[in-house]
Amino acid sequence: MRETGREPAGEAGAPFGVAEVTGVSMVPTLLHGDRLLVHYGGRLRPGSVAVLRHPLQQDLLIVKRLIERRDGGWWVLGDNPDAEGDSRVFGAVPPELVLGRVRARYRPVTPGRQRSAGTVLSWLVSAVRPVGSASSASRRLRAR
């Protein structure tokens, strides 16, 4: 995951930033190349998708779904059951490593594509989506 527009570690200023998804751990919710609107310091709850520092490599940012609070922090899982690299590998994530909640995702406009009003409207309808809490996904993932 790459982050642009804001340093994640407690910088004063706007509480929102943009991050880019790399990898497939959150498929089908998020795809490689999606951009995320991240609300730093946003209210966290089970089912939320969040940006966090990897507990074993803290210079690496990851995006995962918050499943539940446990002793030691948040239990997090990717939405793709075949991908590795979540709490099944590194355990609970301390709360101070959870940076912010993902509020929306958008897919970038294809380079070289015509920018007519209809094309832009079509892109807005298909490419921009809120990323809310998924309590049903939270229950499904917790049951594993």
Side-chain angles (χ1 to χ4, degrees):
M1 163 173 264
R2 282 178 270 171
E3 191 165 57
T4 59
R6 183 179 187 280
E7 281 297 314
E11 178 183 304
F16 290 94
V18 175
E20 180 181 348
V21 175
T22 57
V24 296
S25 71
M26 289 298 293
V27 170
T29 306
L30 304 173
L31 303 178
H32 178 82
D34 282 355
R35 304 300 196 278
L36 306 176
L37 176 63
V38 182
H39 182 190
Y40 293 98
R43 183 172 171 236
L44 304 172
R45 59 182 174 215
S48 298
V49 175
V51 172
L52 48 131
R53 292 191 184 281
H54 193 289
L56 304 177
Q57 187 181 351
Q58 293 184 14
D59 60 335
L60 176 65
L61 297 179
I62 59 177
V63 60
K64 301 292 178 195
R65 189 171 302 278
L66 304 175
I67 302 304
E68 65 184 5
R69 293 295 300 258
R70 293 188 177 182
D71 291 339
W74 283 99
W75 190 260
V76 300
L77 294 175
D79 285 357
N80 181 350
D82 296 327
E84 295 181 357
D86 53 29
S87 287
R88 294 172 292 181
V89 173
F90 49 70
V93 177
E96 63 271 13
L97 297 182
V98 180
L99 303 176
R101 181 175 172 184
V102 175
R103 294 296 184 169
R105 68 102 175 127
Y106 64 95
R107 299 201 168 109
V109 175
T110 306
R113 191 164 179 199
Q114 183 182 9
R115 302 287 195 283
S116 68
T119 301
V120 172
L121 181 60
S122 173
W123 172 80
L124 281 171
V125 169
S126 67
V128 178
R129 294 272 191 265
V131 177
S133 294
S135 57
S136 63
S138 176
R139 281 194 298 276
R140 177 181 56 81
L141 293 171
R142 190 179 314 128
R144 289 188 199 177

